[in-house]
Each structure stands twice: as C-alpha cells, then as structure tokens.
C-alpha cells in the first residue's frame, strides 16, 4: 500500500493523470462536434440537453472547452497540495466516461458489437478532415 501511496504522490504521475483526464474531455468534446446535428436528439444527460436547448451545441462545446481548461489548470495546482487525492477519482470518472463514449451502444449486448473501435476511428477521421459542417 505504501508503494501505491508513493507512486500517486509523485507530481509527474499526477500530472500524467491530469493530462489523460483532459485528453478524455477533449475526446468527448470532439464527439460533440462530430455528432453536431444529431446531438440534440441523442444527448442522454438532461442538464446538457437543457444547455443545448438554450444555447445550442456550439455553446455547449464552448462551455466544455473552457471547463476543461479550468479543470486541468486546477488539478495541476492541486497536484502540489495535500488535496492531490482528488485527481485520482476524477481520472477514474474520466476513464469510465471514455469507456462509455467509446463502447456503449443501446442495441448491443455486452462487448459483442461488430465494429468495436468505430467511435475511435471516427475521432481520428475528424482530425483527418473527413467530417465537415
């Protein structure tokens, strides 16, 4: 147990977790842009649906981008304080979000869908310029 405590007390390990958490948040926001037209219909979070209704998907993307910058900045500041333990649950939550966004489909049962990495491929295709609005 002291081994894990020592590892998670290292600033570079915590900074890596913060970076990965921010990267997952960026991934989520890119998916919002990719599914721009469909997002008002498929968004599961009632609060985000309300935000989309009030200011649109572009407003949601902007809010999430600023929120990501703020959260990553705050977590990096916390990494040098006694409150650094907050970083680990945030990372675990972000990792669960990544799995949900990437692998969940309402029609599939378990991990048996035919194209397991479709969403990841869409993410990289977005950066190749294959999705334009």
């Amino acid at each position: 147990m002291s081994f894990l405590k020592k590892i998670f007390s290292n600033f570079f390990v915590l900074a890596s977790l913060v970076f990965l958490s921010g990267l997952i948040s960026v991934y989520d926001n890119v998916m919002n842009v990719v599914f721009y037209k469909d997002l008002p219909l498929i968004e599961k979070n009632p609060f985000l649906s309300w935000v989309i209704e009030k200011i649109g998907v572009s407003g949601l993307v902007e809010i999430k981008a600023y929120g990501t910058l703020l959260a990553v900045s705050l977590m990096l500041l916390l990494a040098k304080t006694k409150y650094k333990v907050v970083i680990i649950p945030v990372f675990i939550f972000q990792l669960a979000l990544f799995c949900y966004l990437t692998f969940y489909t309402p029609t599939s049962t378990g991990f048996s869908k035919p194209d397991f990495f479709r969403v990841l491929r869409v993410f990289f295709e977005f950066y190749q310029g294959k999705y334009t609005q």
Side-chain angles (χ1 to χ4, degrees):
M1 191 65 157
S2 65
F3 175 71
L4 287 176
K5 193 173 196 178
K6 187 173 183 176
I7 286 178
F8 289 119
S9 294
N10 183 321
F11 176 78
F12 295 108
V13 170
L14 293 173
S16 297
L17 294 179
V18 169
F19 173 76
L20 289 172
S21 295
L23 190 63
I24 292 169
S25 186
V26 168
Y27 173 76
D28 179 26
N29 223 6
V30 167
M31 290 296 105
N32 290 334
V33 173
V34 169
F35 297 108
Y36 190 90
K37 293 177 183 165
D38 298 327
L39 195 62
L41 302 173
I42 62 174
E43 180 58 55
K44 303 266 188 236
N45 185 328
F47 177 71
L48 294 183
S49 292
W50 177 80
V51 170
I52 291 170
E53 184 182 310
K54 295 296 178 192
I55 59 174
V57 175
S58 58
L60 173 69
V61 169
E62 191 173 331
I63 288 171
K64 286 176 108 176
Y66 287 127
T68 298
L69 289 173
L70 180 64
V72 166
S73 300
L74 288 174
M75 284 192 296
L76 280 176
L77 289 173
L78 289 175
K80 292 200 172 218
T81 70
K82 66 180 180 179
Y83 302 108
K84 60 185 156 204
V85 324
V86 169
I87 294 170
I88 297 166
V90 169
F91 172 72
I92 291 169
F93 177 82
Q94 288 294 93
L95 195 57
L97 174 66
F98 173 79
C99 290
Y100 174 77
L101 292 172
T102 305
F103 304 119
Y104 171 77
T105 58
T107 57
S108 128
T109 56
F111 290 108
S112 63
K113 66 183 188 178
D115 193 1
F116 198 62
F117 295 102
R118 179 182 175 272
V119 177
L120 284 174
R121 189 170 43 258
V122 167
F123 175 78
F124 289 111
E125 286 173 354
F126 171 79
Y127 281 105
Q128 294 172 346
K130 294 183 181 179
Y131 293 94
T132 57
Q133 300 299 1

